[in-house]
Amino acid sequence: MPKLLARRVDIARRETAPSYLAHLAVVNGVSGSDLAVDMGFSLKRLINLDEAAVRALSEIGGLDDFAREDMVSWTGHPQGDVRSLFRNEVFVSRAIRSPTVRGCPICLKEDAAATEVANAGAMVMQGHWQLRDVYICVRHGHPLVDLWTFNVPTERFEYSARLREISKSILNGDLDQRRCDPSPYDLWLDARLGDGCDDTWLKDCSLYAAVTFCGLLGCEIARHLYNDSMSAENQKSSCAGLGFEIVKCGPSKISAALHDLAGRADGATDKPNKAFGEMYKQLGRGYLNEPGFEPFRHLLRECILEVWPVAGGEVLLGTVLPSRRLHSVATAASEIGIGIDTMTRLLTAAQVLSASDARPLSRRVFDADHHAEDLIEMSRLVGSPKLRAILGATVSQFNALVDDGVIAPYVSDDTIQARWSPSRIESLLKEISLKAAKHLGSGMGWENLFQARLRSGIALNDLIDAIRANEIDVVRTDREQGIGSFLVRLDQVDRMGIGSQQMRFETDLSLTEMVLAIGLRSTIKFRSFLDAGHSPATRRRHPTNGKEQLYLSAADVAAFHDRFMTIATIVERLGLDRSEVRKRIRARGIARFAPDGAEYGKIYLRRDVQFLGH
């Protein structure tokens, strides 16, 4: 049972346990450590908030349960070896316990003036001064100043002796500094510590993580503003305030600030550590095992993945990436095994990248998943001699197929030798093969596609469309190879020529012409789209064989454009490049037109995509 004291004093606002012990000791004419021993505990035990020591101090001071709990919360209760519970928030102990003790000299002078007790004994050490992220006394607008430094805790927290040693300097104003208005950061932190009040996005975040991240972000933003005339402490305060103005608003503004930092590091070899400096280092290493930092670590990780081509399997800020999100020209070239210069021209010609993008190749990035098929296709591209071999076509036959729009290079850049896709040719040959029967006759009454084109004047794409629509028969002979082995009936070709002239208006488009005009790749899918009735088409019966021929009149084309858009028509309307259009479509989660799961290619409802330019 602690002894009764001759004199007691009320505990002050935000006063810590060692301060209250010193306060009681001075009014009773003894030192803090001596009073602790007299009352049955030690200063060291009180510093560590030993339960028996706190209870004894509360009893000799006459504190009720509420006052005792409040005193403990402002002192900081150790939680293991490296954590402390401070104002119901978990901090690392070094954020609260420093060898250097700080305080507001104006507060201390006011304490001395408000009592008849010896000057030093009346001075109160307030708990929030301990937190390293507190830089100013919001009541007086005075920066916190260093009062003393001791490595041994029992010497550091012997407040009665320490305050007596500097009381003259405090009272004479030797420690006074220029005052300033508290920043929104200072007021927010003071309120959050005082009563937990927080009306910002940070209200649900760890306070330790929040104040630390504000400082880290602010320092990176202001790195180029530092000057030799600003003290380190003022730099920290200024940076914390700068970071807070951004962080308090939440993820979107934080992400924008991170992207601005990433934009500064625009060199060919600049990596995230260059862009984000100490913030990247601390979130990736120093605070990696601190769960309170995860919301901020997630935002930084997302920013990095939206800027740099990080490979799948790499560890980024503590997380193993399941797959690559972005490719750069360099990483794409390495992955598919072609030269960087050719890769650059292929990606530009395919409008995966903008020709006006002046960034280094290592920073010219694109969506790896969205363009995965493009890269596979690019890896298989061949030159025209190899493609003619696959087709089984002569040079003149090859040129005829190109002229009639049956085949087209993967990219139009004729400086690229390997720019033809064999997979498209293989698909075409397979498609016609499925329609063809084996020809066993002498060949009379039949001709190959190129002979039919030359004789009738009907374009190869129209002949192949007629084969697809079962409007003319096709057989395959063993005497030829490749596309030259397919034969069609002369009489059906003749009737097709007469019927086409009778049926078609000058403004009508064939399926192939329409598909090319709107930038699609598959005539078969577009035919299914029209057959399903999603957009009108003109069907007229052939005057000779009675079969329906499919065209799109000017009205049909207009009806399609009124309701639907494709990547090509969006690019034409908005004046953006294809990669930017695709990026905006992904960002807004716009789905292709695919009722009941039908696959018609990259066709979108106009109402879904018409505002992509905003």
Side-chain angles (χ1 to χ4, degrees):
M1 183 75 176
K3 303 174 184 177
L4 294 177
L5 293 177
R7 300 183 64 182
R8 290 184 176 181
V9 291
D10 293 332
I11 192 167
R13 173 179 174 271
R14 299 188 175 186
E15 188 165 16
T16 67
S19 175
Y20 187 53
L21 174 66
H23 207 165
L24 287 172
V26 170
V27 298
N28 285 279
V30 295
S31 68
S33 55
D34 287 343
L35 178 61
V37 172
D38 289 344
M39 295 299 111
F41 57 96
S42 67
L43 176 58
K44 181 177 181 180
R45 288 173 58 194
L46 184 65
I47 293 169
N48 293 322
L49 291 183
D50 173 81
E51 185 176 347
V54 171
R55 189 185 311 111
L57 177 63
S58 300
E59 289 179 6
I60 63 176
L63 303 182
D64 58 22
D65 292 344
F66 175 81
R68 181 177 68 252
E69 291 176 3
D70 193 57
M71 175 184 69
V72 168
S73 75
W74 283 110
T75 304
H77 200 296
Q79 305 284 299
D81 294 334
V82 295
R83 299 286 187 278
S84 290
L85 187 65
F86 183 72
R87 297 300 292 164
N88 296 317
E89 298 266 8
V90 177
F91 289 80
V92 293
S93 297
R94 64 179 178 274
I96 301 170
R97 298 289 177 93
S98 168
T100 298
V101 175
R102 300 177 304 150
C104 171
I106 311 302
C107 286
L108 295 173
K109 275 191 284 190
E110 288 184 354
D111 293 340
T115 179
E116 297 178 357
V117 181
N119 290 332
M123 296 178 187
V124 172
M125 297 300 293
Q126 299 181 37
H128 62 290
W129 296 347
Q130 301 174 102
L131 184 59
R132 67 184 178 193
D133 300 288
V134 173
Y135 302 105
I136 193 172
C137 170
V138 300
R139 181 182 172 197
H140 297 110
H142 193 287
L144 298 188
V145 299
D146 294 349
L147 300 176
W148 60 79
T149 300
F150 282 93
N151 289 321
V152 179
T154 51
E155 295 180 359
R156 185 191 320 150
F157 289 102
E158 180 63 273
Y159 286 153
S160 57
R162 301 289 83 81
L163 286 168
R164 185 167 56 250
E165 292 166 356
I166 64 169
S167 60
K168 185 175 180 180
S169 296
I170 294 172
L171 296 174
N172 289 342
D174 297 341
L175 301 182
D176 293 359
Q177 296 184 12
R178 183 178 178 180
R179 301 194 193 192
C180 59
D181 293 331
S183 70
Y185 165 83
D186 298 320
L187 297 172
W188 162 78
L189 180 53
D190 191 74
R192 175 87 176 246
L193 290 171
D195 57 15
C197 178
D198 190 346
D199 58 0
T200 74
W201 175 78
L202 292 165
K203 62 181 179 297
D204 296 321
C205 295
S206 154
L207 183 57
Y208 169 50
V211 294
T212 304
F213 184 74
C214 284
L216 289 170
L217 177 61
C219 283
E220 291 308 316
I221 293 172
R223 206 189 314 175
H224 66 296
L225 300 176
Y226 283 173
N227 56 69
D228 294 337
S229 63
M230 183 182 290
S231 69
E233 198 66 19
N234 285 342
Q235 285 181 9
K236 291 179 181 178
S237 175
S238 176
C239 289
L242 180 60
F244 172 73
E245 289 301 317
I246 294 169
V247 178
K248 71 177 182 181
C249 300
S252 61
K253 196 161 185 180
I254 297 172
S255 294
L258 293 174
H259 277 278
D260 285 344
L261 290 173
R264 291 184 190 176
D266 57 0
T269 60
D270 288 349
K271 299 294 179 64
N273 61 328
K274 171 71 177 294
F276 305 113
E278 189 68 13
M279 175 169 54
Y280 178 79
K281 175 183 176 182
Q282 292 300 333
L283 291 182
R285 293 169 57 188
Y287 303 121
L288 184 59
N289 297 318
E290 297 284 348
F293 285 83
E294 185 52 37
F296 308 110
R297 192 161 35 243
H298 171 75
L299 292 172
L300 180 57
R301 187 185 300 116
E302 285 299 301
C303 175
I304 292 170
L305 292 176
E306 291 170 4
V307 175
W308 279 273
V310 185
E314 287 194 22
V315 179
L316 179 61
L317 300 176
T319 295
V320 179
L321 302 181
S323 60
R324 177 186 292 280
R325 187 178 297 185
L326 293 179
H327 259 307
S328 69
V329 175
T331 61
S334 174
E335 182 172 289
I336 67 176
I338 66 175
I340 290 182
D341 181 61
T342 301
M343 185 84 260
T344 304
R345 286 185 287 150
L346 279 173
L347 292 171
T348 303
Q351 295 188 319
V352 174
L353 295 177
S354 170
S356 61
D357 192 339
R359 291 177 299 172
L361 296 181
S362 61
R363 298 296 294 275
R364 295 180 67 182
V365 295
F366 58 92
D367 189 307
D369 183 60
H370 186 77
H371 294 289
E373 292 183 6
D374 291 319
L375 291 182
I376 293 173
E377 195 79 345
M378 290 176 186
S379 71
R380 298 188 62 202
L381 294 180
V382 298
S384 56
K386 180 69 175 291
L387 194 72
R388 290 199 304 271
I390 296 172
L391 271 167
T394 65
V395 172
S396 61
Q397 289 173 341
F398 178 80
N399 291 337
L401 289 165
V402 174
D403 292 342
D404 288 359
V406 176
I407 61 174
Y410 183 79
V411 292
S412 59
D413 186 349
D414 57 10
T415 65
I416 302 173
Q417 182 178 2
R419 62 191 183 106
W420 299 89
S421 170
S423 60
R424 296 181 183 180
I425 301 307
E426 291 161 358
S427 296
L428 173 65
L429 294 175
K430 182 178 180 181
E431 183 184 5
I432 301 176
S433 295
L434 291 174
K435 295 283 187 180
K438 189 171 183 180
H439 182 59
L440 301 176
S442 64
M444 295 182 62
W446 297 84
E447 60 187 346
N448 69 35
L449 290 168
F450 302 99
Q451 293 168 333
R453 173 185 186 264
L454 183 64
R455 186 178 58 80
S456 69
I458 299 174
L460 288 168
N461 61 327
D462 288 332
L463 290 171
I464 291 172
D465 279 345
I467 292 171
R468 289 177 174 132
N470 299 317
E471 293 169 357
I472 59 175
D473 297 330
V474 61
V475 295
R476 190 166 196 177
T477 177
D478 293 335
R479 297 177 183 176
E480 302 288 341
Q481 296 296 320
I483 197 164
S485 67
F486 296 110
L487 307 178
V488 290
R489 283 176 49 178
L490 279 76
D491 58 336
Q492 290 178 334
V493 172
D494 289 341
R495 285 195 297 270
M496 180 181 171
I498 296 170
S500 296
Q501 292 300 318
Q502 293 176 346
M503 292 166 56
R504 189 173 179 189
F505 296 97
E506 290 185 4
T507 56
D508 287 351
L509 297 178
S510 69
L511 277 180
T512 300
E513 290 168 334
M514 181 63 178
V515 166
L516 290 174
I518 59 178
L520 297 179
R521 295 185 177 182
S522 173
T523 304
I524 296 174
K525 289 181 180 179
F526 192 64
R527 182 188 292 276
S528 299
F529 170 82
L530 295 176
D531 287 341
H534 298 304
S535 190
T538 300
R539 291 173 169 83
R540 299 189 183 97
R541 291 193 177 278
H542 195 286
T544 303
N545 62 23
K547 294 181 179 180
E548 281 193 337
Q549 196 88 355
L550 190 63
Y551 294 97
L552 285 96
S553 66
D556 297 334
V557 173
F560 174 84
H561 289 302
D562 283 344
R563 189 179 178 206
F564 299 100
M565 297 188 82
T566 65
I567 298 293
T569 62
I570 296 170
V571 167
E572 182 180 357
R573 178 177 181 272
L574 300 181
L576 302 171
D577 59 52
R578 285 178 177 267
S579 59
E580 179 62 23
V581 169
R582 289 168 177 150
K583 179 180 178 182
R584 295 187 184 189
I585 286 174
R586 291 195 304 276
R588 301 191 185 187
I590 300 173
R592 299 179 188 179
F593 178 73
D596 300 322
E599 174 54 47
Y600 299 128
K602 297 177 182 178
I603 298 174
Y604 302 89
L605 286 169
R606 173 177 281 272
R607 67 168 183 255
D608 292 340
V609 297
Q610 62 183 336
F611 299 113
L612 284 176
H614 298 289

